[in-house]
Amino acid sequence: MDSTSNSEPTTMVAEAVAPTPPKAAAAAPSGPTEDNGSLPIHDEKSTPGADEPSILLYYCYTPHPLPSVPSHIAFQRELCLSLGLNGRIRVSSEGINGVLSSYKQSDLEDYVRRVVGNLGDGMTEDEFDAKYCHLRKDIGVEEQMFDALSVKSTREVVSLWEPGAEEQRSAARARAKALRRRRRNEKMADKEGGNTAKVTQSHCCSLPVVPSPPNGVDLGGYIPAPHLSPQEWNDSLLSLAISGEEAILIDARNVYESRVGHFRVPGVPTLLTNTRKYSSLPTVLEAHKSELAGKHVFMYCTGGVRCERASTYLQALSDGDGWSEGGKERIEKPKGVYQLKGGIQRYLATFGLPEDCVKEQKYELELYQQSSGFVNQCLYKGKNFVFDQRRTDPIIGGLQPVGQCLLCKKPWDDYDNGHSPKQNREARCRRCRILVLVCDECRGKIRTWGENNDDKGDNLPELFCGPGGESCIDEGNFADAVEIIKGRLP
């Protein structure tokens, strides 16, 4: 899930025409199939069974603004309580975004049906974009379940920028006023003998203040980029790679997410933004627009929600006066902007493999890669970082770790060093507290956030999240942290 946002829903205009994604040179099969002794793909692991524990990842933009955010929050709380669901849900007038856990996937499916029904005409389960995710097998089920439920109001489904200082002060005053109102309501309820339900903070607190878009970019009149299914994503990217037409991928996630996995497409570079937080993305796009000029731009994130806003912003940015080189002559706009429908989560449900099967049957994985063909190969490498108690999803895009220890450069993709994420044993930057990959051998040689000299007995060097662990990426110009990598042809 992402941070809260700030502006009113984007206005849809009839004149907005989405670009047509490039077509593959030849028709491709609908997806990976079992062949030549390879691992079965879809039937075995695309989603858990109805009676199995599962994680639900979802978001949706509603056809019409919610008539009452507090009322929908109350509906969500009551529904989750009745089904025994825990997790985090963000409710705005333009839609909802959430991640929930349950010991039975059927309860999550029931939740989706009832929420879709509550949202009214025009909302379908396809528009709801629900992904049912497997649990890891190397840690206990209980350790992967949420312990509590949080339902809160936000200005937007996802926020692309933060409010300024004055806007933050205004929001603080509004929150203080709402808190005083809540306390008055609770005192009145107590005087009436407790017959009146107390108003919770989630219901009464005002929504976050709306910040101003960066660089004066106006998103009005722009719609999100066209969605490509996982198969269309493969077809389009590989067609462009074969034809030699210029394209580029943008990883719209943060640095700690892309470090354990990202797309590596033969012949197509991937721009790793390496941001600490999502609200830094506009600055990165502005600073690296020359790398996007005249190319087909493919954006992706964990589940798709961040690309809805980011792709809208990129299209508006490229139409604006600031789309120039060095503030002088305008440069060519992207030939098209596209986003991966359902994000990495849905892509790996189509082309990925269960981590435990990959580790136990490496030879079968190699057979699958050889028999599945160029177009049906999994173009995502590594693990998918998730914002729940699992840390990473067990459906992966390859056997070899993509990540590496920040200190010794050894291949490494375990933030928790063999522990459950719930144990809070992960390494974090001493300054900004984001996750840092440090192998078992190097872990005892440094002090991370939350550790002091007494914890380890030695005056060990501090760990930061920048190159070599010596500085924090949140210091200075974070747009300089961008990496552009290239996949290799098979």
Side-chain angles (χ1 to χ4, degrees):
M1 294 182 65
D2 299 289
S3 57
T4 59
S5 191
N6 37 49
S7 65
E8 297 304 322
T10 302
T11 303
M12 303 299 181
V13 294
E15 292 76 16
V17 178
T20 302
K23 296 181 179 180
S30 59
T33 56
E34 188 175 354
D35 187 25
N36 292 345
S38 60
L39 291 173
I41 304 301
H42 298 290
D43 292 341
E44 182 171 297
K45 58 78 197 165
S46 58
T47 59
D51 294 327
E52 295 180 15
S54 179
I55 304 291
L56 170 65
L57 174 67
Y58 74 88
Y59 76 92
C60 73
Y61 287 88
T62 56
H64 310 286
L66 290 177
S68 172
V69 169
S71 295
H72 190 77
I73 287 176
F75 163 76
Q76 289 278 357
R77 287 184 178 279
E78 182 178 352
L79 176 58
C80 289
L81 180 63
S82 68
L83 294 173
L85 309 181
N86 286 328
R88 299 187 301 270
I89 303 172
R90 299 157 52 82
V91 181
S92 77
S93 61
E94 64 176 5
I96 52 179
N97 178 18
V99 56
L100 297 169
S101 64
S102 174
Y103 289 95
K104 292 177 63 178
Q105 180 173 305
S106 57
D107 289 336
L108 294 172
E109 293 170 349
D110 189 16
Y111 166 86
V112 170
R113 286 190 293 268
R114 292 164 70 174
V115 172
V116 169
N118 177 268
L119 294 176
D121 295 339
M123 175 56 60
T124 65
E125 290 195 25
D126 182 64
E127 293 291 331
F128 195 77
D129 198 49
K131 280 86 65 177
Y132 300 99
C133 313
H134 285 272
L135 268 61
R136 290 168 51 176
K137 294 186 178 180
D138 58 332
I139 54 179
V141 171
E142 181 70 27
E143 293 180 293
Q144 300 177 69
M145 297 284 108
F146 284 105
D147 296 324
L149 175 68
S150 170
V151 186
K152 65 179 183 179
S153 59
T154 62
R155 182 64 65 177
E156 292 179 310
V157 171
V158 63
S159 173
L160 190 54
W161 41 79
E162 296 178 336
E166 180 56 37
E167 292 164 330
Q168 291 183 27
R169 285 192 291 269
S170 175
R173 290 192 293 268
R175 286 193 295 271
K177 183 178 180 180
L179 181 59
R180 291 193 296 270
R181 184 168 61 250
R182 177 172 69 89
R183 288 172 176 169
R184 286 197 301 269
N185 290 337
E186 289 178 352
K187 288 181 180 179
M188 292 176 61
D190 290 337
K191 289 181 181 180
E192 294 174 4
N195 294 324
T196 303
K198 293 184 178 181
V199 181
T200 67
Q201 187 170 356
S202 293
H203 286 73
C204 72
C205 280
S206 59
L207 293 171
V209 69
V210 180
S212 302
N215 306 326
V217 176
D218 183 8
L219 303 190
Y222 290 90
I223 62 175
H227 297 89
L228 301 183
S229 70
Q231 186 66 60
E232 292 170 333
W233 183 264
N234 267 22
D235 293 348
S236 299
L237 282 166
L238 293 175
S239 174
L240 289 169
I242 293 171
S243 69
E245 191 171 352
E246 288 195 299
I248 189 169
L249 292 111
I250 297 179
D251 192 321
R253 303 172 301 160
N254 297 313
V255 61
Y256 51 88
E257 301 172 76
S258 59
R259 276 180 175 165
V260 296
H262 46 257
F263 276 95
R264 288 188 177 180
V265 180
V268 179
T270 299
L271 190 150
L272 302 179
T273 56
N274 288 342
T275 54
R276 176 184 174 269
K277 51 190 177 182
Y278 180 58
S279 58
S280 300
L281 186 59
T283 302
V284 172
L285 295 177
E286 167 70 21
H288 293 273
K289 52 183 177 286
S290 60
E291 280 92 351
L292 313 180
K295 298 178 181 177
H296 294 278
V297 178
F298 295 78
M299 306 186 79
Y300 67 90
C301 59
T302 304
V305 65
R306 282 177 280 186
C307 287
E308 299 282 0
R309 194 70 73 195
S311 66
T312 304
Y313 174 77
L314 178 57
Q315 293 174 93
L317 176 67
S318 64
D319 277 342
D321 296 335
W323 194 258
S324 59
E325 186 66 49
K328 300 179 182 179
E329 295 184 3
R330 281 187 59 82
I331 57 178
E332 187 178 358
K333 290 173 51 178
K335 291 183 178 179
V337 181
Y338 321 99
Q339 58 175 316
L340 177 58
K341 182 175 176 60
I344 301 165
Q345 189 68 46
R346 180 162 288 130
Y347 182 90
L348 289 179
T350 305
F351 293 111
L353 288 169
E355 184 177 11
D356 57 319
C357 291
V358 172
K359 289 180 177 179
E360 296 170 7
Q361 305 180 48
K362 180 180 178 182
Y363 180 68
E364 283 80 354
L365 172 63
E366 292 171 347
L367 281 179
Y368 167 70
Q369 291 175 331
Q370 292 169 11
S371 65
S372 62
F374 189 37
V375 172
N376 277 333
Q377 284 196 16
C378 183
L379 302 178
Y380 186 86
K381 307 303 178 185
K383 296 181 178 179
N384 183 22
F385 185 100
V386 292
F387 293 91
D388 57 58
Q389 306 301 320
R390 298 171 299 157
R391 189 86 74 193
T392 56
D393 192 272
I395 308 302
I396 64 174
L399 182 62
Q400 296 301 320
V402 168
Q404 61 182 13
C405 173
L406 188 63
L407 302 178
C408 71
K409 309 304 179 184
K410 170 185 176 181
W412 194 261
D413 59 9
D414 181 10
Y415 280 113
D416 301 286
N417 297 92
H419 301 282
S420 161
K422 269 193 176 181
Q423 294 178 274
N424 299 318
R425 301 286 295 274
E426 70 275 9
R428 293 183 178 271
C429 174
R430 291 281 292 189
R431 182 179 182 275
C432 72
R433 305 183 187 180
I434 68 166
L435 291 163
V436 180
L437 284 172
V438 182
C439 71
D440 290 341
E441 185 176 349
C442 293
R443 189 68 172 80
K445 300 177 181 179
I446 42 85
R447 284 186 297 128
T448 73
W449 177 79
E451 296 177 341
N452 54 45
N453 290 341
D454 294 335
D455 293 330
K456 294 191 173 181
D458 296 317
N459 189 21
L460 298 176
E462 295 182 333
L463 176 72
F464 298 96
C465 58
E470 297 177 353
S471 62
C472 177
I473 63 172
D474 205 33
E475 294 179 289
N477 183 8
F478 45 75
D480 291 340
V482 163
E483 295 177 64
I484 297 180
I485 61 173
K486 294 184 178 181
R488 292 175 295 181
L489 291 169

